[in-house]
Amino acid sequence: MSHKQKNLMFGAVLAAMVAAGILAGRCAPSAPKSRRPAGASDLAVAAQATYIAPGDLDEYYLFSSGGHSGQIYVYGVPSMRHLVTIPVYTPYPATGYGFDDDSKAMLGGLTWGDVHHPSLSETGGEYDGRWLFVNEMNGRIARVDLRDFKTRQIFGPMPNISGNHASAFVTPNTEYAMMASRFSAPLANGAAPIDQYATAYKGIIAAVKIDPKSGTTSQGFEIMTPPFDWDLADAGKKVSEGWAFFTCYNSERATGKLEVTASQRDRDYIAVVDWRAAEKAINEGKGDLIGGVKVLDPKKVPGIIYLMPCGKSPHGVDVSPDGKYIVGSGKLQGVTTVFNFEKIQTAIRKQDFTGNEDGIPVLKYEDVKDAEVPVGLGPLHTQFGPDGYAYTSLFVDSAIAKWKMGTWEVVDKIPMSYSIGHLCAAEGDTVSPDGKYLIGLNKLSHGRHLNVGPSQPESSQLVDITGEKMKLLYDAFTEPEPHYAQMIKADKLHPIEVYPKEGNKHPLAIWDVKDAGVTHQGGKALAKVVLVRSTITPQTIEVSQGETVTVALTNIEQTTDELHGFGLLAYNINVVVDPGETKTVTFVANKAGVYPFYCTNFCSALHQEMQGYLIVKPHA
Ligand code: K7E
Ligand code: CUA
């Protein structure tokens, strides 16, 4: 350990002691050498602000995108402690996800997904703590139930959509989650040469319908667009409720080297979608069946979508808490543009258009913009506080700019280490943001951690936004790849700790060891298994080679944290069963022999003894 590292560590320990009150009343220690522009008192304040004493709880849950890991990482804020990983699109041996029959079927043979934007369910524009929807770049949306933090549905791939990036972004009462294609392609899996891109390839803006009671997702509507690359979305709220906004790049309809070919025009677009009108059109039976989905063509169904010009190659689009402003930025510019929803409505009413793109009317930039805010270089995403302030991430400047809505004045900037992408404020995209905390989700960690070789973590930086000036509080490190995250007040979630026995309706559930055993019928074997400390019953599962074997495992515990596992490597079986839960795993016993199985989760002093044998009798 270098002298500098020791100093840093000493500083941290002192700060923690101050925070814990151990040094309270004494003079603050002299400033340790630090790479941060902060003195000892600042460090002590930061330490106190993020220190959660043993046994105490964090104030917020942070649901953070795991990118192409296909997972969601859950952190506590302000401690930034990693609490749990929710596997969504990727098998996760730690919880047995993707191994048992149900979760395996849900994954549909796929073993990864590219998660971008977690979206908490809302009621009246507030997070209601019921579900978390999360998109995947390849046309899927998943629903996580926040009662048990488990993925309960994977919907899609949605036909006609390739590269579903502008998603999941739910509407204020969780009627819909957004979808759109970033990579335009011929619809219905058709084929056309790339030189026909501008005409034969189509973009799609879509929405997935959500059942308000169960959260179950199903096909909503699709709107055909020119082959732009739809990038991000946000749902309107309050005055703009019923509308949704989507950014695009490549309004040039170019192919080839897009960094050049798709940057020729000065402006791209933000699509303004009247989703209620689209819903009504679908309910009236409008639309053409393409690839198994009703697709609305704006030429035939006017009044559902408009385009407003925006700075070249915009990325995020974010609606202010009151729904009045839509913030979007050309990501190569030094300003972010604030569009005014009232002005958009007026322009639409007056039919004040400059032209159209494949039947979609184009609004005038000057008609609909309110301000260009000089936030700094490379504005990507904006989040909101409770007090009329907005926070914009600047990728090129590697900083966050704080600015005031209405006066459009930039009041503060704080550097990020390094190259911030998204940012997340506490309940920052609801109708009533909490303020307090802002997290920069950075693309690179830039050496601010112990060296772990070339594959380095990404970083999340916690910022205090209670005061006039933003203050850096904490560096946390995450696995690839951070995109968006959402932060919800912890007291809005009430997760269960065990599955109540009465609620278990699984047809193969058993609750008494005397019901455990193996039955055989017509080439199939069914083993009903009880898991309870510290025995797997039956201890031997005997089958014949070639039989299709289903093992139904019920964990009959009703005690918090008493999980049991069932591991059997020879057949790639790894199931974890929570208290009160039943899971099945099915396989063909094609290898004769004796194969030990065992409980994988440490469950008691006699956990080691929780074992048994699968005996596969060879063909005679
Ligand atoms: Cu990384 Cu929203 Cu996919 Cu921006 S996205 S940075
Ligand atoms: Cu059950 Cu270990």
Side-chain angles (χ1 to χ4, degrees):
M1 191 184 280
S2 71
H3 184 64
K4 193 162 146 195
Q5 280 173 321
K6 274 188 193 148
N7 262 346
L8 273 172
M9 194 170 228
F10 180 58
V13 168
L14 272 180
M17 286 167 84
V18 170
I22 294 164
L23 297 178
R26 297 187 202 164
C27 290
S30 64
K33 277 207 171 63
S34 169
R35 281 176 289 180
R36 283 159 297 181
S41 64
D42 286 347
L43 286 176
V45 168
Q48 195 156 22
T50 57
Y51 182 74
I52 301 293
D56 284 355
L57 303 178
D58 279 297
E59 196 181 347
Y60 289 90
Y61 287 95
L62 179 73
F63 292 90
S64 197
S65 156
H68 51 276
S69 77
Q71 298 167 331
I72 291 287
Y73 302 114
V74 184
Y75 299 85
V77 178
S79 75
M80 300 303 284
R81 293 180 295 196
H82 174 242
L83 300 174
V84 77
T85 295
I86 306 174
V88 182
Y89 296 104
T90 303
Y92 190 52
T95 61
Y97 183 76
F99 290 86
D100 66 283
D101 292 333
D102 287 346
S103 60
K104 206 171 171 177
M106 202 160 58
L107 288 171
L110 300 169
T111 55
W112 75 288
D114 192 352
V115 167
H116 279 249
H117 308 109
S119 187
L120 290 158
S121 59
E122 295 180 13
T123 301
E126 301 280 9
Y127 298 150
D128 59 23
R130 297 198 289 167
W131 308 297
L132 179 75
F133 295 90
V134 60
N135 75 314
E136 189 276 303
M137 268 291 294
N138 304 288
R140 294 178 286 168
I141 282 185
R143 173 174 42 91
V144 173
D145 196 320
L146 294 177
R147 274 173 311 187
D148 57 5
F149 283 47
K150 300 245 171 84
T151 303
R152 289 302 176 197
Q153 189 191 4
I154 295 176
F155 175 80
M158 182 90 155
N160 304 325
I161 292 194
S162 33
N164 176 40
H165 187 253
S167 184
F169 308 108
V170 300
T171 52
N173 286 298
T174 320
E175 299 96 336
Y176 288 96
M178 302 302 154
M179 285 189 127
S181 48
R182 192 172 127 208
F183 314 127
S184 292
L187 299 186
N189 282 329
I194 197 77
D195 59 12
Q196 291 171 18
Y197 182 84
T199 52
Y201 286 54
K202 297 289 174 201
I204 289 284
I205 280 176
V208 163
K209 207 175 165 68
I210 300 167
D211 181 273
K213 287 228 167 63
S214 64
T216 304
T217 45
S218 58
Q219 276 178 13
F221 58 83
E222 293 195 354
I223 301 171
M224 195 192 296
T225 76
F228 304 157
D229 293 41
W230 295 108
D231 198 16
L232 273 157
D234 199 7
K237 49 180 84 114
K238 293 209 161 167
V239 294
S240 53
E241 188 169 351
W243 295 74
F245 307 90
F246 294 77
T247 52
C248 77
Y249 54 94
N250 195 18
S251 63
E252 291 84 351
R253 313 186 188 200
T255 56
K257 215 170 157 183
L258 287 189
E259 61 174 308
V260 180
T261 58
S263 299
Q264 302 169 79
R265 286 188 176 188
D266 280 344
R267 298 212 184 281
D268 285 296
Y269 296 117
I270 293 175
V272 180
V273 175
D274 183 345
W275 63 257
R276 290 225 175 92
E279 178 181 62
K280 185 162 168 273
I282 289 292
N283 290 344
E284 286 167 355
K286 291 181 183 152
D288 309 306
L289 202 63
I290 302 174
V293 194
K294 276 284 179 74
V295 181
L296 300 168
D297 181 345
K299 280 197 212 98
K300 301 181 202 162
V301 189
I304 52 174
I305 180 171
Y306 305 88
L307 295 171
M308 54 183 189
C310 174
K312 180 195 288 198
S313 304
H315 190 48
V317 56
D318 297 283
V319 180
S320 62
D322 55 13
K324 286 183 187 165
Y325 303 114
I326 294 101
V327 181
S329 319
K331 63 178 178 264
L332 306 171
Q333 292 184 305
V335 298
T336 192
T337 304
V338 182
F339 298 93
N340 182 315
F341 184 72
E342 261 321 301
K343 290 183 180 176
I344 295 169
Q345 293 305 299
T346 306
I348 290 173
R349 258 197 316 274
K350 287 197 199 151
Q351 306 254 314
D352 192 5
F353 307 131
T354 56
N356 76 83
E357 294 262 15
D358 295 3
I360 308 176
V362 178
L363 300 159
K364 282 188 201 138
Y365 180 75
E366 292 301 330
D367 281 359
V368 292
K369 83 138 206 228
D370 248 13
E372 286 178 348
V373 185
V375 286
L377 272 186
L380 291 186
H381 301 283
T382 298
Q383 288 270 289
F384 302 92
D387 41 12
Y389 286 102
Y391 301 84
T392 299
S393 60
L394 307 169
F395 182 79
V396 178
D397 277 353
S398 191
I400 297 171
K402 174 181 178 181
W403 52 279
K404 181 90 185 165
M405 283 187 288
T407 68
W408 320 123
E409 189 189 353
V410 177
V411 295
D412 190 26
K413 259 187 206 186
I414 188 170
M416 287 282 108
S417 303
Y418 192 80
S419 283
I420 182 173
H422 272 276
L423 72 181
C424 165
E427 308 220 338
D429 54 16
T430 66
V431 293
S432 64
D434 286 5
K436 288 190 176 186
Y437 301 113
L438 180 67
I439 296 173
L441 303 161
N442 304 329
K443 298 301 185 193
L444 307 169
S445 51
H446 229 56
R448 287 165 71 99
H449 49 78
L450 291 176
N451 192 345
V452 291
S455 185
Q456 302 197 355
E458 323 297 342
S459 87
S460 294
Q461 291 184 297
L462 180 70
V463 176
D464 177 340
I465 54 168
T466 52
E468 220 173 287
K469 293 265 168 211
M470 295 180 276
K471 283 195 208 100
L472 179 63
L473 294 177
Y474 198 79
D475 281 9
F477 300 98
T478 71
E479 291 197 59
E481 174 69 28
H483 295 288
Y484 192 36
Q486 283 189 330
M487 213 191 302
I488 180 173
K489 200 85 198 302
D491 61 17
K492 286 191 181 172
L493 298 192
H494 306 281
I496 57 165
E497 296 194 5
V498 301
Y499 293 99
K501 181 181 170 183
E502 321 77 65
N504 183 330
K505 303 281 183 253
H506 200 291
L508 297 178
I510 52 169
W511 299 92
D512 195 320
V513 288
K514 70 178 189 321
D515 298 323
V518 190
T519 53
H520 304 265
Q521 201 182 15
K524 288 184 177 159
L526 172 63
K528 289 189 187 173
V529 174
V530 165
L531 305 170
V532 68
R533 280 165 286 175
S534 297
T535 307
I536 299 174
T537 310
Q539 286 93 55
T540 28
I541 298 174
E542 221 177 280
V543 301
S544 301
Q545 188 177 9
E547 267 186 310
T548 299
V549 182
T550 296
V551 181
L553 303 145
T554 302
N555 176 351
I556 66 170
E557 308 266 3
Q558 292 283 280
T559 309
T560 300
D561 245 353
E562 279 301 338
L563 282 61
H564 298 291
F566 185 85
L568 199 167
L569 185 68
Y571 283 97
N572 196 35
I573 291 168
N574 162 45
V575 181
V576 178
V577 193
D578 294 353
E581 194 180 34
T582 301
K583 280 182 177 172
T584 63
V585 59
T586 301
F587 60 98
V588 178
N590 49 13
K591 287 173 284 191
V594 172
Y595 304 100
F597 52 75
Y598 67 101
C599 173
T600 50
N601 284 53
F602 206 102
C603 51
S604 75
L606 297 173
H607 153 80
Q608 278 315 74
E609 282 78 353
M610 203 164 167
Q611 64 186 58
Y613 291 100
L614 170 73
I615 300 174
V616 184
K617 293 175 293 185
H619 289 303

